[in-house]
């Protein structure tokens, strides 16, 4: 059980890092690039993917890996913007609600049977997402303690909050679908993870070089921390599934509910994030939807 608790803690810690990055004058794009280099090293050390067959991938697998290489850093940037503009609570909840997209894909693309329970869970999740996207008057514009923002910036932040939340939901949902499709075509998970981290890091690095980025030592160093937290979340999540091989529902549900619950406490207690009644209703609906969407 400790691996599951650690995975939840690492996930929330990533959101806290993204929340504090602006106040610490960290260039998040540079931190994300180093994050993937760190994740590659930790993946080689702890997961030990089979390197002898690493590049023996089918054309379909390489297509999926290429899409992941683009999506992973892009969605990380969107998540950073969401945490800054909409807060940890709503961003983490939007990320966890992204599970509805692979479930919809299973029904619509892979023609799995639709149960009444899952249909109700999907409807509940869509209602939760709508509630989360409702803009509270002050939540998105509430600065981190020690940070000040202008009135114009506050209004712009609130106006864009729903857009980045929708981007988080769509982005993480598409990544989940791609990883599930990778598993369907028989690619090994650890090798696929290593290749996707490597491609994401290379593309992010090339993008920064193309922009003639002025490198920032603090941002590069912070990427080591971000990479450790990000990989720790993934590693402990995998270990939790290995610990409970016959009960994946426990891991899925506990992870999603745990992140939403702890993220809510951290957002409200540490960063004084304000939610309106509709947002709070959305969090409650999200918790109910997660319970319904995973089979017993």
């Amino acid at each position: 059980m400790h691996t599951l608790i650690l995975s939840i803690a690492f996930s929330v810690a990533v959101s806290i890092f993204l929340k504090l990055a602006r106040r610490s004058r960290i260039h998040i794009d540079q931190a994300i690039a180093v994050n993937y280099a760190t994740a590659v090293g930790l993946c080689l050390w702890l997961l030990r993917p089979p390197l002898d067959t690493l590049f023996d991938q089918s054309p379909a697998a390489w297509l999926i890996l290429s899409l992941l290489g683009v999506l992973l850093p892009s969605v990380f940037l969107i998540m950073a913007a969401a945490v800054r503009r909409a807060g940890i609570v709503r961003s983490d909840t939007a990320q966890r609600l992204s599970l509805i997209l692979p479930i919809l894909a299973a029904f619509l693309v892979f023609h799995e049977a639709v149960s009444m329970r899952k249909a109700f869970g999907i409807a509940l999740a869509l209602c939760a997402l709508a509630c989360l996207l409702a803009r509270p008057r002050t939540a998105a514009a509430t600065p981190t303690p020690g940070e000040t923002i202008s009135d114009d910036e506050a209004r712009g932040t609130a106006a864009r909050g729903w857009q980045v939340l929708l981007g988080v939901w769509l982005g993480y949902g598409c990544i989940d679908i791609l990883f599930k499709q990778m598993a369907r075509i028989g690619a090994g998970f650890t090798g696929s993870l290593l290749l996707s981290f490597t491609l994401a890091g290379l593309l992010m690095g090339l993008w920064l070089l193309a922009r003639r980025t002025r490198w920032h030592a603090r941002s590069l160093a912070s990427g080591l921390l971000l990479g450790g937290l990000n990989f720790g979340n993934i590693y402990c999540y995998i270990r939790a599934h290995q610990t409970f091989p016959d009960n994946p529902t426990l891991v899925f549900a506990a992870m999603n509910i745990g992140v939403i619950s702890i993220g809510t406490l951290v957002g409200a207690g540490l960063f004084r994030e304000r939610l309106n009644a509709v947002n709070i209703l959305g969090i409650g609906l999200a918790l109910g939807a997660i319970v319904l969407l995973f089979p017993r």
Side-chain angles (χ1 to χ4, degrees):
M1 183 62 73
H2 69 281
T3 54
L4 185 54
I5 295 173
L6 284 173
S7 182
I8 294 170
F10 278 127
S11 182
V12 175
V14 168
S15 295
I16 294 174
F17 175 94
L18 296 175
K19 182 75 173 180
L20 294 174
R22 185 183 186 185
R23 188 181 70 173
S24 303
R25 295 183 175 86
I26 291 172
H27 299 278
I28 196 64
D29 49 359
Q30 296 181 34
I32 289 172
V34 176
N35 147 77
Y36 285 117
T38 305
V40 166
L42 291 172
C43 188
L44 288 169
W45 177 37
L46 294 174
L47 298 184
R48 299 181 181 179
L51 299 180
D52 53 337
T53 59
L54 187 62
F55 296 101
D56 297 337
Q57 306 287 344
S58 66
W62 280 115
L63 175 60
I64 294 173
L65 285 168
S66 299
L67 292 173
L68 285 170
V70 174
L71 273 176
L72 284 171
S74 301
V75 173
F76 222 143
L77 288 170
I78 294 171
M79 182 66 176
V83 168
R84 187 174 68 249
R85 295 172 183 170
I88 290 175
V89 180
R90 298 165 78 206
S91 300
D92 277 344
T93 307
Q95 179 185 352
R96 295 301 152 184
L97 279 178
S98 67
L99 65 91
I100 190 177
L101 290 177
I103 290 174
L104 283 172
F107 296 149
L108 301 177
V109 179
F110 305 119
H111 306 295
E112 291 186 12
V114 183
S115 67
M116 184 64 68
R117 186 167 178 264
K118 282 195 174 183
F120 184 67
I122 290 172
L124 205 61
L126 289 173
C127 291
L129 185 65
C131 291
L132 288 174
L133 294 178
R135 297 197 304 270
R137 292 180 181 176
T138 57
T142 301
T144 300
E147 178 186 11
T148 59
I149 57 177
S150 67
D151 290 342
D152 288 340
E153 186 179 3
R155 284 191 292 270
T157 295
R160 293 188 297 271
W162 72 270
Q163 298 172 345
V164 289
L165 285 174
L166 193 59
V168 166
W169 181 70
L170 287 171
Y172 279 104
C174 290
I175 287 172
D176 199 5
I177 290 172
L178 289 172
F179 271 123
K180 288 181 184 297
Q181 183 63 12
M182 184 74 72
R184 285 175 63 90
I185 62 178
F189 179 76
T190 55
S192 302
L193 199 63
L194 175 62
L195 285 173
S196 60
F197 283 159
T198 303
L199 286 172
L202 285 174
L203 290 174
M204 194 71 190
L206 290 172
W207 182 70
L208 289 171
L209 289 173
R211 296 180 63 202
R212 297 182 179 179
T213 297
R214 186 174 180 179
W215 302 103
H216 185 236
R218 181 186 299 174
S219 302
L220 295 173
S222 68
L224 296 173
L225 173 60
L226 179 60
L229 294 174
N230 190 31
F231 183 83
N233 172 33
I234 295 170
Y235 178 74
C236 291
Y237 186 64
I238 294 171
R239 292 289 295 162
H241 273 292
Q242 292 172 338
T243 303
F244 302 100
D246 299 322
N247 197 358
T249 302
L250 170 65
V251 179
F252 286 135
M255 182 67 186
N256 285 277
I257 292 173
V259 168
I260 292 174
S261 302
I262 301 302
T264 300
L265 292 175
V266 170
L270 188 59
F271 297 107
R272 301 195 299 272
E273 292 180 6
R274 298 178 184 177
L275 302 173
N276 61 19
V278 176
N279 297 147
I280 294 171
L281 174 62
I283 293 171
L285 291 175
L287 295 174
I290 288 167
V291 172
L292 286 172
L293 286 172
F294 289 111
R296 297 183 183 279

